[in-house]
Amino acid sequence: MGLSIEIDDFTPCLVEKSTGKMVNTKYSIANQSDLKSLKQRGWNFNWTADDLKDSDIYKLTLEDDDTIQGLVAVTDFPRDKAIYINIAESAPQNIGKNKKYEGVGGHLFAIAAKESVNKGYDGYLFLDAKNMDLVNYYHEKFGATLLGMPHPYRMYIDEVNANKLLKIYAFKEE
C-alpha cells in the first residue's frame, strides 16, 4: 500500500480555488456513519477496512460546514513515542485541477503532528510512502527522512519539521 497524497499548497486555512478565499477549518474523530458510504461517493480507500480498526481516523471539515474535506488515519505507537500515518486522503472534490479546496493534504499531516504532540511525542510521525518519487516529494515538502526499513519507503518526520507544520496550519480541535 503506502501513502500517496498531494501537498498542493502550504496555507493556514483551506483556500477555495475558484475565489481564492481562505476558509477556516476544524478536525475531529470520524465516526462510523461518516465513513460507511465513502467508497460509493468516490473516495479511493475503504475507510472501514479491518486494517484500520486500531487506528484513529480524523476528519477535516470547514468550521461552518461538516462536509468532509479530507481524512487521515493514525495509529499510536507509545513504545516508539510516535504516531504512524496509516493513510491520508483528500475528498474527491479536492483532487485534480478542478478541485474545490487547496491545502487539504498539508492539513492532514498537520493533524497527525498535532495528535503526536497531544500524546507527548513532540510531533514525531512516521509513514510508508508508496514509491521513491513520493519519498523525494515528502522530503521536499515536509523534511521527512527516509529510514528504508522495515518498509523500503518508511520515513519519519521529526519534531523540528512537525513544529514547522503546526506553525503553518491553523484549525480547531473538536
Side-chain angles (χ1 to χ4, degrees):
M1 198 146 139
L3 201 57
S4 171
I5 188 166
E6 177 188 3
I7 311 305
D8 50 17
D9 207 356
F10 289 107
T11 60
C13 301
L14 294 185
V15 176
E16 189 173 36
K17 193 170 177 201
S18 64
T19 65
K21 177 184 168 193
M22 290 232 185
V23 183
N24 292 329
T25 59
K26 63 184 179 183
Y27 81 96
S28 59
I29 290 280
N31 60 45
Q32 285 303 308
S33 65
D34 291 325
L35 304 174
K36 70 178 184 178
S37 64
L38 292 175
K39 255 330 219 173
Q40 293 87 354
R41 290 186 277 151
W43 289 70
N44 291 315
F45 299 106
N46 178 3
W47 287 90
T48 59
D50 283 345
D51 60 340
L52 296 176
K53 71 178 179 343
D54 295 327
S55 302
D56 291 322
I57 301 173
Y58 294 94
K59 61 182 178 178
L60 175 69
T61 61
L62 307 182
E63 271 189 353
D64 60 355
D65 180 352
D66 286 333
T67 303
I68 298 172
Q69 302 303 322
L71 292 166
V72 61
V74 300
T75 302
D76 183 5
F77 279 80
R79 190 184 90 191
D80 298 320
K81 296 190 182 326
I83 294 288
Y84 176 70
I85 303 174
N86 300 69
I87 195 82
E89 183 178 7
S90 292
Q93 71 267 17
N94 297 322
I95 297 173
K97 65 181 180 181
N98 295 320
K99 68 180 86 174
K100 185 167 183 174
Y101 295 105
E102 292 182 330
V104 174
H107 270 72
L108 298 175
F109 274 79
I111 289 167
K114 178 70 173 143
E115 289 304 310
S116 175
V117 168
N118 289 350
K119 298 271 187 196
Y121 306 153
D122 298 327
Y124 274 93
L125 304 170
F126 67 106
L127 59 110
D128 297 328
K130 199 170 193 173
N131 56 47
M132 197 61 193
D133 288 339
L134 287 167
V135 165
N136 294 328
Y137 183 71
Y138 294 143
H139 175 72
E140 176 188 318
K141 292 289 186 177
F142 299 122
T145 303
L146 177 66
L147 283 171
M149 58 178 203
H151 184 281
Y153 307 120
R154 169 100 7 122
M155 304 184 79
Y156 72 91
I157 297 174
D158 64 17
E159 81 279 9
V160 171
N161 289 301
N163 282 315
K164 286 179 187 176
L165 278 173
L166 292 172
K167 285 180 182 171
I168 293 170
Y169 293 99
F171 40 70
K172 291 185 179 176
E173 279 180 83
E174 280 198 333

